[in-house]
Amino acid sequence: MKVVQQYWKKARPLTLREALEDCVVDESERGKSFVYKKYYGYVMAVVLRYITVEMEAEEAVNESFVKVFRKIGSFEMHAEEEALEKTFRSWLARIAVNTSIDLLRTRKPTSFLEDTSDEEMKSHTVVMTDRLGVEDIMKLLTRLPDIQRSIFNLFEIEGYSHEEIGAMLHIPESTSRTYLTRAKQRLRKLYMEEFSVSHNIHS
């Protein structure tokens, strides 16, 4: 009976729960392959929000999965399937974000951070008033400097606080606020330029 169950399990597609259990209990290559193939595109999409160079993004994705399989025993599996999928995606995203940030800081220790004047440090309360579409923002983000793009993603998309971002990037909280303001100002400028060009073409 046990042989039949094992054959049946191998013959049919794995569920996420089974794949995760295989990774934890048996360190199964089948389970790892399932997770890697199913979530590769998702992890890549997260990484590309921070790293725009294709080869570096690929490296960050693979490094993320190495960490995922190393830490998978610490992931708490929710009893409900829908919640399990959601929480696992969030867990994957956190690892991918941290891996991307680490890679940026390692590869660009001097150019990652920009000069910040005292005056700019004091005037970080500007808010973005333009209603940018999500797709527009994602396209324009690739044109921001690494530090601005990273902080915008961490704060606006991932939901980290400036205190948490400062700890991740080893910068003061006020500097994180300044770079977020710069990112929003630059996005607004880029958006207005794109809108103006598009408007002129169609007028």
Side-chain angles (χ1 to χ4, degrees):
M1 184 68 176
K2 187 174 182 181
V3 173
V4 173
Q5 289 175 336
Q6 289 176 338
Y7 173 80
W8 171 246
K9 185 176 181 181
K10 290 180 180 179
R12 65 180 175 79
L14 287 174
T15 63
L16 173 58
R17 187 178 303 280
E18 288 171 343
L20 294 177
E21 288 172 347
D22 277 3
C23 290
V24 174
V25 179
D26 303 323
E27 296 188 0
S28 160
E29 289 304 317
R30 185 170 180 239
K32 291 179 181 179
S33 177
F34 174 92
V35 172
Y36 184 84
K37 290 177 181 177
K38 181 175 175 64
Y39 295 101
Y40 178 88
Y42 174 70
V43 173
M44 177 61 83
V46 173
V47 168
L48 285 172
R49 294 208 300 262
Y50 297 86
I51 301 174
T52 57
V53 178
E54 187 177 347
M55 287 185 64
E56 292 184 0
E58 182 75 31
E59 181 182 341
V61 169
N62 289 326
E63 178 62 25
S64 295
F65 277 107
V66 168
K67 292 178 180 177
V68 165
F69 295 131
R70 190 167 63 235
K71 300 177 179 180
I72 207 162
S74 66
F75 173 69
E76 188 173 344
M77 288 195 280
H78 202 282
E80 297 179 8
E81 296 304 315
E82 187 175 338
L84 174 61
E85 171 79 19
K86 185 176 181 180
T87 54
F88 186 64
R89 279 177 171 268
S90 295
W91 188 70
L92 277 178
R94 283 199 302 274
I95 291 175
V97 168
N98 288 331
T99 302
S100 300
I101 293 298
D102 287 345
L103 184 62
L104 283 173
R105 284 176 40 222
T106 300
R107 292 291 174 84
K108 302 173 181 178
T110 55
S111 62
F112 183 54
L113 293 178
E114 307 162 12
D115 292 332
T116 307
S117 68
D118 291 338
E119 191 60 33
E120 286 176 318
M121 292 287 282
K122 295 174 184 176
S123 59
H124 54 60
T125 57
V126 179
V127 293
M128 197 169 191
T129 56
D130 296 301
R131 301 288 294 177
L132 302 186
V134 174
E135 290 185 4
D136 295 321
I137 290 176
M138 297 313 292
K139 290 177 184 176
L140 296 177
L141 275 174
T142 61
R143 295 165 62 182
L144 295 182
D146 288 339
I147 182 65
Q148 293 181 16
R149 184 175 64 253
S150 296
I151 289 178
F152 183 91
N153 278 315
L154 289 169
F155 186 85
E156 297 289 351
I157 298 176
E158 311 295 347
Y160 288 96
S161 68
H162 285 295
E163 182 180 3
E164 291 170 323
I165 295 170
M168 291 172 69
L169 301 181
H170 302 164
I171 59 175
E173 182 180 337
S174 56
T175 302
S176 175
R177 293 179 183 276
T178 297
Y179 287 141
L180 178 62
T181 297
R182 286 186 181 183
K184 289 181 176 181
Q185 290 172 335
R186 183 150 182 165
L187 279 175
R188 186 189 301 114
K189 182 175 182 292
L190 289 170
Y191 181 79
M192 294 306 293
E193 289 173 355
E194 291 288 327
F195 179 80
S196 176
V197 170
S198 176
H199 179 74
N200 290 335
I201 290 174
H202 292 97
S203 61

